[in-house]
Amino acid sequence: MDQVNDSVITEFVLLGLAQSLGMQFFLFLFFSLFYVGIILGNLLIVFTVTIDPHLHSPMYVLLANLSLIDLGLSSTTVPRMISDLFTDYKVISFHNCMIQMFFIHVMGGVEMVLLIAMAYDRYTAICKPLHYLTIMNPKICMLLVIAAWATGVIHAMLQFVFVINLPFCGPNDVGSFYCDFPRVIKLACTDTYSLEFVVTANSGFISMGTFFFLIVSYIFILVTVWQHSSSNLSKAFFTLSAHITVVVMFFAPCMFLYVWPFPTKSLDTFFAIVDFVVTPVLNPAIYTLRNKDMKLAMRRLSRQVVSSREMT
């Protein structure tokens, strides 16, 4: 990477989240507890879906992949957030900044497609139940997962290949606690108007379009259920409400961070923390506490663990 960019800048300065020692300790405890919850909650879902044969269906395969992505997305920023809390001079090297941006957008792109795939899975299960096993067969499910990862990599590369070659000669204050394309581009020593538009379109407009597409899709599913049997509407709404909650929590911060024309540091920080810390820890709770099959699978798993301990 040294050969690719001949910039004068070798490191970027990150924004501190707290000034007072009391607030630093509070955020340290908050982020640490949430990160442990992210790791344990998402790994539990992945492990449960992998071990329990009752969950080897497209819906839960997609859910396990979503948990892996949530864990990966959080791990791109939260460990550094924690370590930087008690550091006076918060810097990140040029290489690490580029790597962080790349993986944030890979994970974000994958999650976007996974949420679309999960919406399609629910549409098929609710609106075409007799054809569900034919439409959402293991081959199609695997293709959806591969497509999600391919889209995430392409989404990140379309921005990364331009940013990595920009000249950076100062200033180097990112103005945030993590590196992201819109903030780093503004520090380049060249006209970046067209590139900023590309990033806004790639991350912002696509996020907005996908969000409204998903919301309309869920409304269409509910209307279809209501037309066929109004008695099943409450059951369908209960099933879809978890998906809708996850969609709103993921896309609302994305749309603000990449599309909102009047950004402020405080709101940027708040929505970034929601995206990297709050949403990844709530997703496991949303999908397990509201899902009967997941709760039954976890009970079976806990009984197996207890019985194996008794045998030893």
Side-chain angles (χ1 to χ4, degrees):
M1 200 175 289
D2 290 327
Q3 303 301 320
V4 177
N5 194 295
D6 299 324
S7 305
V8 176
I9 296 297
T10 59
E11 61 184 21
F12 293 99
V13 178
L14 299 177
L15 180 70
L17 290 175
Q19 303 299 324
S20 66
L21 188 61
M23 181 57 70
Q24 289 172 346
F25 275 110
F26 170 78
L27 291 178
F28 174 80
L29 183 63
F30 174 81
F31 291 145
S32 298
L33 290 175
F34 268 62
Y35 190 54
V36 170
I38 290 167
I39 295 173
L40 296 179
N42 286 290
L43 286 182
L44 178 61
I45 288 180
V46 173
F47 186 69
T48 304
V49 171
T50 303
I51 295 298
D52 197 313
H54 297 87
L55 299 181
H56 292 176
S57 63
M59 174 183 175
Y60 296 106
V61 170
L62 294 172
L63 176 58
N65 277 273
L66 180 66
S67 292
L68 282 176
I69 292 302
D70 278 337
L71 179 57
L73 183 63
S74 180
S75 297
T76 58
T77 55
V78 178
R80 176 170 284 275
M81 288 164 57
I82 295 172
S83 64
D84 280 350
L85 282 172
F86 300 104
T87 304
D88 293 330
Y89 190 52
K90 300 169 177 59
V91 296
I92 183 172
S93 69
F94 178 85
H95 291 171
N96 288 339
C97 182
M98 295 294 130
I99 292 170
Q100 185 182 60
M101 290 191 298
F102 178 76
F103 279 104
I104 284 174
H105 284 264
V106 169
M107 300 298 173
V110 175
E111 181 153 352
M112 194 180 301
V113 180
L114 282 177
L115 291 173
I116 295 174
M118 293 175 75
Y120 179 66
D121 175 80
R122 290 301 84 202
Y123 163 76
T124 307
I126 294 174
C127 298
K128 298 184 178 180
L130 298 179
H131 303 285
Y132 177 75
L133 294 178
T134 303
I135 297 174
M136 290 299 294
N137 57 65
K139 182 179 178 180
I140 293 298
C141 184
M142 186 58 63
L143 287 175
L144 288 172
V145 172
I146 294 172
W149 280 97
T151 302
V153 172
I154 293 171
H155 163 73
M157 285 298 299
L158 286 175
Q159 300 168 92
F160 184 78
V161 293
F162 293 108
V163 176
I164 192 68
N165 288 305
L166 289 175
F168 295 95
C169 52
N172 64 340
D173 189 349
V174 176
S176 180
F177 62 88
Y178 69 103
C179 288
D180 202 2
F181 288 125
R183 297 172 183 83
V184 172
I185 288 173
K186 293 181 183 297
L187 302 177
C189 304
T190 186
D191 180 22
T192 58
Y193 177 79
S194 57
L195 186 53
E196 288 179 41
F197 176 79
V198 170
V199 170
T200 301
N202 199 316
S203 297
F205 295 151
I206 291 177
S207 296
M208 183 180 295
T210 305
F211 171 75
F212 287 112
F213 169 77
L214 288 171
I215 295 299
V216 170
S217 299
Y218 287 128
I219 293 173
F220 174 78
I221 294 172
L222 292 173
V223 170
T224 303
V225 172
W226 176 72
Q227 288 176 342
H228 285 81
S229 175
S230 58
S231 61
N232 293 328
L233 183 61
S234 59
K235 182 180 178 181
F237 181 78
F238 181 82
T239 302
L240 294 178
S241 60
H243 294 259
I244 295 171
T245 302
V246 171
V247 166
V248 171
M249 291 187 66
F250 175 74
F251 283 102
C254 288
M255 289 187 292
F256 179 87
L257 292 170
Y258 296 107
V259 181
W260 185 249
F262 310 108
T264 60
K265 286 185 178 180
S266 58
L267 283 176
D268 274 5
T269 300
F270 171 76
F271 281 111
I273 290 174
V274 169
D275 233 6
F276 294 126
V277 182
V278 180
T279 301
V281 81
L282 287 182
N283 281 358
I286 290 171
Y287 281 113
T288 54
L289 296 178
R290 297 174 61 87
N291 189 293
K292 182 177 68 175
D293 292 336
M294 282 296 298
K295 288 190 286 187
L296 289 174
M298 289 182 177
R299 289 195 191 103
R300 287 192 293 266
L301 181 62
S302 63
R303 284 197 294 266
Q304 290 177 9
V305 172
V306 170
S307 61
S308 62
R309 285 183 177 178
E310 290 175 350
M311 291 177 61
T312 55

